[in-house]
Amino acid sequence: MEYNKRISDMNIGEQVEGFYILKGVYPKTTASGKPFLNATLADKSGTVEAKVWNYSGPIGTGDEGKVVKIRGEVSEFRGASQIVIEKIRLAEQDDPYQVSDLVPVAPIDVDDTMREVEQLVRSIEDRDYQAICLQMLQEHYTALRNIPAAKSVHHGFLSGLLMHTANMLKTADFLAKLYADVVDRSLLLAGTFLHDFAKEKEFTFSQLGLATNYSVKGQLLGHLVMGAQEVAEVAKQLGVPEEKSVLLQHMILSHHGEPEFGAAVVPICAESELLSEIDKIDSRMEIYREVMEGLEVGEVSGRIFALEKRIYRHK
Amino acid sequence: MEYNKRISDMNIGEQVEGFYILKGVYPKTTASGKPFLNATLADKSGTVEAKVWNYSGPIGTGDEGKVVKIRGEVSEFRGASQIVIEKIRLAEQDDPYQVSDLVPVAPIDVDDTMREVEQLVRSIEDRDYQAICLQMLQEHYTALRNIPAAKSVHHGFLSGLLMHTANMLKTADFLAKLYADVVDRSLLLAGTFLHDFAKEKEFTFSQLGLATNYSVKGQLLGHLVMGAQEVAEVAKQLGVPEEKSVLLQHMILSHHGEPEFGAAVVPICAESELLSEIDKIDSRMEIYREVMEGLEVGEVSGRIFALEKRIYRHK
Amino acid sequence: MEYNKRISDMNIGEQVEGFYILKGVYPKTTASGKPFLNATLADKSGTVEAKVWNYSGPIGTGDEGKVVKIRGEVSEFRGASQIVIEKIRLAEQDDPYQVSDLVPVAPIDVDDTMREVEQLVRSIEDRDYQAICLQMLQEHYTALRNIPAAKSVHHGFLSGLLMHTANMLKTADFLAKLYADVVDRSLLLAGTFLHDFAKEKEFTFSQLGLATNYSVKGQLLGHLVMGAQEVAEVAKQLGVPEEKSVLLQHMILSHHGEPEFGAAVVPICAESELLSEIDKIDSRMEIYREVMEGLEVGEVSGRIFALEKRIYRHK
Amino acid sequence: MEYNKRISDMNIGEQVEGFYILKGVYPKTTASGKPFLNATLADKSGTVEAKVWNYSGPIGTGDEGKVVKIRGEVSEFRGASQIVIEKIRLAEQDDPYQVSDLVPVAPIDVDDTMREVEQLVRSIEDRDYQAICLQMLQEHYTALRNIPAAKSVHHGFLSGLLMHTANMLKTADFLAKLYADVVDRSLLLAGTFLHDFAKEKEFTFSQLGLATNYSVKGQLLGHLVMGAQEVAEVAKQLGVPEEKSVLLQHMILSHHGEPEFGAAVVPICAESELLSEIDKIDSRMEIYREVMEGLEVGEVSGRIFALEKRIYRHK
Amino acid sequence: MEYNKRISDMNIGEQVEGFYILKGVYPKTTASGKPFLNATLADKSGTVEAKVWNYSGPIGTGDEGKVVKIRGEVSEFRGASQIVIEKIRLAEQDDPYQVSDLVPVAPIDVDDTMREVEQLVRSIEDRDYQAICLQMLQEHYTALRNIPAAKSVHHGFLSGLLMHTANMLKTADFLAKLYADVVDRSLLLAGTFLHDFAKEKEFTFSQLGLATNYSVKGQLLGHLVMGAQEVAEVAKQLGVPEEKSVLLQHMILSHHGEPEFGAAVVPICAESELLSEIDKIDSRMEIYREVMEGLEVGEVSGRIFALEKRIYRHK
Amino acid sequence: MEYNKRISDMNIGEQVEGFYILKGVYPKTTASGKPFLNATLADKSGTVEAKVWNYSGPIGTGDEGKVVKIRGEVSEFRGASQIVIEKIRLAEQDDPYQVSDLVPVAPIDVDDTMREVEQLVRSIEDRDYQAICLQMLQEHYTALRNIPAAKSVHHGFLSGLLMHTANMLKTADFLAKLYADVVDRSLLLAGTFLHDFAKEKEFTFSQLGLATNYSVKGQLLGHLVMGAQEVAEVAKQLGVPEEKSVLLQHMILSHHGEPEFGAAVVPICAESELLSEIDKIDSRMEIYREVMEGLEVGEVSGRIFALEKRIYRHK
């Protein structure tokens, strides 16, 4: 028996034992009155349904999102795999499992990427924009390092926001030079760095760090308005001239490009126009990357909801 | 000769003398090198083109928006009336003219309406929402009393914002009672009262108080975001619980109803849904009122840009 | 054993006995050739699946929509409750059940509301419009009192049309006074009163009075055109001047506001514009009411199809 | 000097004399107080501006749409031709002019086409549909023979409705045979014959028979609803079964195909679907015909408003 | 026992034996480790699920789309019919089954229709257009005779492209005469004949000739561009003047009418405009025919995806 | 008197002499029968109207787009400048004027940029894609060097296509490295290099090289389809595998991103997705550059047609 077998590798008939995320749990009663659990287990390779017969606790609804240790057998139920669990308990502090085996993480070196981002921020020539960015970096250091940038669609893994921000900053840096006669590099880089910071408040996160839902505040105000508001406050504290503060807020408020994609105002500066394009490019390339991982060369995908089309992998 | 004759009543061939707004002025030179002025004069009944031959100053581009005294004769030029001005000077402090004859004003009693608005604000049961409203009323008292709610489309006259706000508050009060099991009256009235306050910053105003253009800040941030931001600050100063502050900001951010009409977020509470409807009703009824003033009974208008259709006056 | 237990309160393992609506019924045969029934039972609290083993009649497809008396046990089938029925028969005239326990009804006092509506109709100053309304009230008295205003979305319960009409008339009355210089109150109230009368012909109704489907005529002509047509006929019978008849037809034909929402023509009078807004307000407030009943305070709903968004309950 | 020279053939410097339509007339006064007329003259080849100096009547605004006899000289004014008129009077009954030289008429033989239409109507197998059509033909004989089908876009000339109806009936006849297993020929031909009859009420017509404007009733109800209503009445008089009446009304109500193109309901029968396509084909082919008349072979037109594109003439 | 019983006629409990298409096949293992097959069988009347217990081959995934001979019993599984198969083997060359009983075919006489099409092609007066068409007819003779015009929506059966092309050519012929002053008959017929030829390359086909999927090339280029490209090559080979080649390519590139329906360019000639309408008519009439086959007279269908509405069968 | 004074610097009353483009010319006759010319002159700073009294040739309509030498005086006519020309003749071969003073040219060093482009093309690793690009570069060398990329909107000056292509290639090169795991650099660079080559055939050009209009072929087929077709032919000549040819055609056919922006198919590869974004970025940045040249710092532009909004210059 292989311990901690990846869910995507399990076969019907196998015995399995190991640590998995208890993604969902539904206590039930059989027709004959006996308690049992329906559960969903997950690791970073996928999810699988499970059943614990004759089980009345202690694990229950309040434990969703935690790690459990289980032992059981993979069987078939209505055409899909299902683990019939014999033993289940919550994982403890010293248990031998790696969070990184259970939750998906960005395919980057987090320390290196944080350094790259910080270097680009320090390269912002305008002292005011730089000061705001450094202040925000300090206040949100841990969040930037760790949180995903989405629930699912793209960058929905640990450090997803960092990966997204770093890629975009590099492109912003390149385009600021290419269009140097049109674009203020300091404004473009500052806006790019800050554009998604309020995602930290827009989502609620599970114990393991994944975005599980939109927060109520996130749904009432949106991360664009929340982000602009925080930047306005920091700018005021630091004594940055109002014109710069307003331009930076405009960058954040308009970075979805069009009202129908959620922009609170439309971009009307070269820098905000460019930011919305850079955001779109990085989002789309990441969607292609994630979808193409699941395709063979020469295969066309099913319909991708976020793109409203199928895509093709040719290499 | 009739003094201060309304522009809409002038006939070709008449001598005119009086005070008018110098809406536009364009210093020119004839082919033979002589200086003259092309000008546009306005009062609240309309506008008329004018010419001042052989004139090199002192009146010039810097005087647009001011009141002038003129004397001249109404002639015809390419099918339209044109005043050939013999004398022109800037109006002085003691000159015998009424601003209310020159600029359009809301068809309401301003003092009474201010009182009605204040009473409705004081009727807000929730102390926190009421406190924010009273603070904002105090800080923006003069603006609320005086400014128009638009450049042209509807309520584009002095005290237009007040008229719009008062009508909407009355409807909000009525509907809060009709839908009392769904709607929090305090939130609805507070949001209604505050929804357009940032128009003061969204526009620039002429010396006589009319909205002449969008401010740069207004175009970069929009009055929805600016309004929400100010309310957030006042709420923080007054120690209002964050949940209420967020709900009130949501009211303001969503009051245009749909992203394509400029909403920064879509309304997701009964109160914000209702506010967007009340705003639409008062805007549309005012457009009907303004357009129907220029129609005969039984007449259909030309295409109304803001409504994307023609309208019919039957009474 | 509790008689007539509400479906939403049933638990697995309980014995139940009582009267329920036979919403759907599907006679089947087992692999071994034995006849049985799959059925759906309903009361006003919800629906539940049921099975009657070894049953070959007399109840069958022709009895859908009728009331049945059943006895059985609540079990679990594939994760959902299911009643295994031991006894089933059609309800008879003297059986001790209340229709109001089985079908949802409007949360209003029907007699009071009918009186309010009639009073508002009698308050219409214009004798012609009033006459048409009184005639229509007389002809459709029972339908107005009883029918739902929809299959499901909003006001889909007994007396739903009455509740919707009464609310809208009150708002119309209020707004007619607020915008008295723009709006003809008689036309507005008459149009509001009559706007949905043809729903009686647009739907087919079950024995218990709920709207079960669109009628063929309803799908070929729509309730707007059918409503306008009937008003045109009544106006002709009563000798009402054609101009008034045409205005009233226009109110009904345009009350969905925009072609993409089903308006046969766009509203081009202040009164028809207002009617379409009032209709939208009452529809939306009722959707909020119905959805919020199923939400906790602080909870965000799932996506509401009719609103194309999620909504939030904060009080 | 050539009498009744076509306006499109006039050259600057020529003397002209003849009968033209007084399309517009604007009495004016010069700066020096002298009365004169600005006028627009038209024949079927086009329009030209004109001036009558020192003229104070009797011809005035009330004579728009009538025929006048004029004499004058073609001159140039701001880059366009303009007739300076020396003599002008209203045409009298016995004056030697042909209406057909002045107003555009359909390029068809009206008597022949009426006969073709009547034959197709008489070929409708279903006695009920045929009876309705014959009754309507009798009541609207003169209108069908004479009126245009539009103000301008397509078929905006005398007998335009007849030309449009005849072409569509021929196509309906052809397609009813091709799709005989799907389509009820009687319903298709009856709907096609009747679909635009209410244009007679939707427009107001000049003395010479051209559509000059939408009638108020036309704007409040639309020709689809008015047409369906009249058919409903005729059907009732003739004792036609309601189902057939409803189907025929549905044909008329849905013949614009999509709500955004003005359909009161969407077509849901094969016959109404087909009618909306046949209408679109004949409308578009006539637009191509009219536009291509003004193009050289190998030329691309300017933007055609009704088609939202430019078109190309290759033969 | 009836051999080759139509799937739509099978009843639970019957023994069946015969030839069916193996539409899908999924080798599985039971929880206890025994191999079995889940399969989908089809004939032209419909599809049915099937199970082969204790089966490990030789039939497997590679045999999808082939014909099999089976024997088994119809049972019920979760409310649907399911054949429990006792014997299964691939059909062999001399087996007594008809492809036409298994796959749907166009309800036309293929030989007659090919003759009609060829006659219409030979009636094209312009020698260049005719030459291109004859060359294409020769090269694609078998495909035109046999392939479906779609995967499912309409004409998704054998010889579907032929039926669609023949109907459209007849309508094109009729309309070319009706609008002879606007339309070049040769261009219209040639474009109509060729417009869908590249469907042969846009789809992949099963062994039995049905369209199973879009080819990669079809998704990268589309049948409009592929069709235009092939016509351009043939025209070059035959020495046809470039202007005619370009017009014919334009016909093919624009035949979907609007960009949102897939047109590569919008139609700007009368002929391409007409082609897009004729295509729409034949597609829609075929959808009506196919949907109405499954409806009773007086019945309204469920929502038809391709039409975005429900349809009504009245005859 | 200053020779060759820039049109934007001319003042009323000045004598001018020099070489200008004869952009438009309209031979006319005065009311008294005398011939004269209305003309439009242009240099790269702008345009001005002109009149040549008593002139009957030889210059006429056939000379539009050529360079003329003129002498005259700047006067005022209806509020705008107008040159009254005394002498006018066509420019001859040896005349001392620079085309670059008359027509706008890209603000780049053409030789350097051609070299950069060629280097990037030679850096394409895939030999097949490189071969196609080099072949196309050789065949279209002069066009790529010289033609504008548009009539007006953006890059509407000499060497505009080169500037646009070079900028896009640099960005493609950068992004191909950033997204190396998703993107085939060879395909991206080849598609970018070739995407607009068919603009050479889509436009007609004046003698001086500016795009004056769309060609008929350009309107019937579009530059996307024409470009893909030429690439298909070159690929076939060079023996490139069909799969690569199809991918490259797909790049060109989809580079407008969405059907409503003119894409013949939607991009479904990472490379085509990216190409459409890069194209949008360079187009938009160039529009910002061109518009901002005419704005002061702190100024908001008028509505920019191509962007559907106003833009703001803050630096």
Side-chain angles (χ1 to χ4, degrees), chain C residues 217 220 229 242 249-250, chain D residues 217 220 229 242 249-250:
Chain C
K217 192 173 173 182
L220 289 170
Q229 232 163 39
E242 206 210 358
Q249 292 174 59
H250 170 71
Chain D
K217 193 173 173 182
L220 289 169
Q229 232 164 41
E242 206 209 0
Q249 292 174 58
H250 170 71

Side-chain angles (χ1 to χ4, degrees), chain E residues 179-192:
Chain E
Y179 298 111
D181 49 348
V182 184
V183 168
D184 176 348
R185 182 180 178 277
S186 294
L187 178 58
L188 180 61
L189 265 73
T192 301

Side-chain angles (χ1 to χ4, degrees), chain A residues 90-238:
Chain A
L90 290 177
E92 287 154 21
Q93 200 151 1
D94 301 333
D95 272 334
Y97 68 89
Q98 302 291 330
V99 167
S100 62
D101 293 339
L102 299 181
V103 297
V105 297
I108 56 171
D109 180 304
V110 173
D111 291 324
D112 285 359
T113 311
M114 281 300 282
R115 258 191 301 276
E116 287 174 334
V117 165
E118 192 168 341
Q119 265 170 12
L120 280 163
V121 166
R122 290 194 185 279
S123 81
I124 294 174
E125 298 85 352
D126 182 284
R127 291 292 121 187
D128 292 317
Y129 291 136
Q130 199 205 52
I132 293 172
C133 291
L134 288 174
Q135 174 78 13
M136 290 287 285
L137 175 59
Q138 191 180 321
E139 289 180 17
H140 298 270
Y141 192 87
T142 309
L144 176 62
R145 215 184 136 84
N146 293 318
I147 69 171
K151 279 173 62 184
S152 50
V153 187
H154 64 90
H155 298 99
F157 36 66
L158 296 189
S159 302
L161 179 59
L162 176 60
M163 177 178 169
H164 182 48
T165 304
N167 271 348
M168 285 177 63
L169 274 174
K170 289 173 196 170
T171 304
D173 184 39
F174 173 82
L175 292 174
K177 287 165 192 159
L178 187 62
Y179 298 111
D181 49 348
V182 185
V183 168
D184 176 348
R185 182 180 178 278
S186 294
L187 177 58
L188 180 61
L189 264 73
T192 302
F193 176 64
L194 297 170
H195 82 286
D196 265 353
F197 264 64
K199 290 212 162 178
E200 187 184 354
K201 290 186 205 138
E202 194 182 32
F203 291 114
T204 56
F205 298 92
S206 73
Q207 203 189 24
L208 296 170
L210 296 180
T212 50
N213 229 323
Y214 286 91
S215 68
V216 168
K217 193 173 174 183
Q219 293 188 82
L220 289 170
L221 304 183
H223 75 273
L224 284 71
V225 169
M226 288 190 291
Q229 231 163 40
E230 186 172 2
V231 162
E233 280 163 29
V234 170
K236 199 185 273 182
Q237 289 162 18
L238 295 176

Side-chain angles (χ1 to χ4, degrees), chain A residues 217 219-222 225 228-229 232-233 236 242 246-247 249-250 253 259-260 262-266 268-269, chain B residues 217 219-222 225 228-229 232-233 236 242 246-247 249-250 253 259-260 262-266 268-269:
Chain A
K217 193 173 174 183
Q219 293 188 82
L220 289 170
L221 304 183
V225 169
Q229 231 163 40
E233 280 163 29
K236 199 185 273 182
E242 205 209 359
V246 166
L247 284 170
Q249 292 174 58
H250 170 70
L253 290 169
E260 58 266 42
V265 292
V266 292
I268 62 168
C269 302
Chain B
K217 193 173 173 182
Q219 294 188 81
L220 289 170
L221 305 183
V225 169
Q229 232 164 40
E233 280 164 28
K236 197 183 275 182
E242 206 210 359
V246 166
L247 283 170
Q249 291 173 59
H250 170 70
L253 290 169
E260 57 264 43
V265 292
V266 293
I268 62 168
C269 301

Side-chain angles (χ1 to χ4, degrees), chain F residues 7 20-23 39-43 46-48 50 68 70 83 85:
Chain F
I7 285 172
Y20 299 93
I21 301 173
L22 184 68
K23 204 172 173 187
T40 310
L41 301 179
D43 65 10
T47 62
V48 65
V68 290
I70 61 106
I83 302 181
I85 293 177

Side-chain angles (χ1 to χ4, degrees), chain D:
Chain D
M1 183 167 58
E2 194 181 344
Y3 283 83
N4 293 328
K5 185 161 204 172
R6 288 160 58 95
I7 286 173
S8 61
D9 296 339
M10 291 180 178
N11 298 306
I12 290 169
E14 292 178 341
Q15 300 293 322
V16 293
E17 178 167 353
F19 295 89
Y20 300 93
I21 302 173
L22 184 68
K23 204 171 172 188
V25 60
Y26 314 93
K28 298 265 176 178
T29 309
T30 63
S32 56
K34 298 205 173 148
F36 69 97
L37 287 187
N38 275 341
T40 309
L41 301 180
D43 65 10
K44 75 177 183 187
S45 77
T47 64
V48 67
E49 296 305 300
K51 273 223 162 66
V52 198
W53 296 113
N54 289 308
Y55 184 87
S56 58
I59 290 173
T61 315
D63 298 308
E64 289 186 348
K66 295 183 183 167
V67 176
V68 291
K69 184 174 188 194
I70 60 107
R71 189 166 71 196
E73 177 175 339
V74 185
S75 65
E76 204 222 7
F77 183 65
R78 292 183 205 145
S81 295
Q82 185 191 61
I83 302 181
V84 178
I85 293 177
E86 292 145 39
K87 287 200 172 171
I88 184 168
R89 67 166 172 81
L90 290 175
E92 286 154 22
Q93 199 152 2
D94 301 333
D95 271 334
Y97 67 91
Q98 303 291 328
V99 166
S100 61
D101 293 339
L102 298 182
V103 296
V105 297
I108 56 171
D109 181 301
V110 172
D111 290 324
D112 285 359
T113 310
M114 282 298 283
R115 255 189 304 276
E116 288 175 330
V117 164
E118 192 167 341
Q119 267 171 8
L120 280 161
V121 167
R122 290 193 183 279
S123 81
I124 294 174
E125 297 85 351
D126 182 283
R127 290 294 120 187
D128 292 317
Y129 292 136
Q130 198 203 56
I132 294 172
C133 291
L134 288 174
Q135 175 79 12
M136 289 288 284
L137 175 59
Q138 191 180 321
E139 287 179 18
H140 299 269
Y141 193 88
T142 310
L144 176 61
R145 213 185 139 83
N146 293 317
I147 69 170
K151 278 173 62 184
S152 49
V153 188
H154 64 90
H155 298 99
F157 36 65
L158 295 189
S159 302
L161 179 60
L162 176 61
M163 176 178 170
H164 181 48
T165 303
N167 271 346
M168 285 177 63
L169 275 173
K170 289 173 195 169
T171 304
D173 185 38
F174 173 82
L175 292 174
K177 287 164 191 160
L178 187 62
Y179 298 110
D181 49 349
V182 185
V183 169
D184 175 349
R185 182 180 178 276
S186 294
L187 178 57
L188 180 61
L189 264 73
T192 302
F193 176 63
L194 297 170
H195 81 287
D196 266 352
F197 264 64
K199 290 213 163 178
E200 186 184 354
K201 290 186 205 138
E202 193 182 32
F203 291 113
T204 55
F205 298 92
S206 73
Q207 203 189 24
L208 296 169
L210 295 179
T212 50
N213 230 321
Y214 287 91
S215 68
V216 167
K217 193 173 173 182
Q219 295 188 80
L220 289 169
L221 304 182
H223 75 274
L224 283 71
V225 170
M226 289 191 290
Q229 232 164 41
E230 185 171 3
V231 162
E233 279 164 28
V234 171
K236 197 184 276 182
Q237 289 163 20
L238 296 175
V240 168
E242 206 209 0
E243 198 208 320
K244 289 185 183 173
S245 171
V246 166
L247 283 170
L248 206 45
Q249 292 174 58
H250 170 71
M251 295 289 285
I252 297 171
L253 290 169
S254 68
H255 82 263
H256 283 185
E258 305 281 348
E260 58 264 44
F261 303 142
V265 291
V266 292
I268 61 168
C269 302
E271 295 83 3
S272 49
E273 191 81 47
L274 214 41
L275 172 55
S276 73
E277 300 294 340
I278 295 170
D279 193 17
K280 195 175 169 199
I281 285 178
D282 193 60
S283 309
R284 296 224 148 181
M285 284 305 104
E286 178 61 17
I287 296 175
Y288 272 87
R289 195 185 67 80
E290 294 177 17
V291 172
M292 280 166 61
E293 268 184 10
L295 296 178
E296 305 290 320
V297 169
E299 192 183 349
V300 175
S301 74
R303 192 169 180 78
I304 307 302
F305 184 73
L307 301 179
E308 297 188 340
K309 60 188 173 193
R310 300 154 173 278
I311 71 170
Y312 176 57
R313 175 170 184 180
H314 65 85
K315 75 156 199 175

Side-chain angles (χ1 to χ4, degrees), chain B residues 114-125:
Chain B
M114 281 300 282
R115 257 189 303 275
E116 289 175 331
V117 165
E118 192 167 341
Q119 267 171 10
L120 280 162
V121 166
R122 290 192 184 281
S123 80
I124 294 174
E125 299 85 351

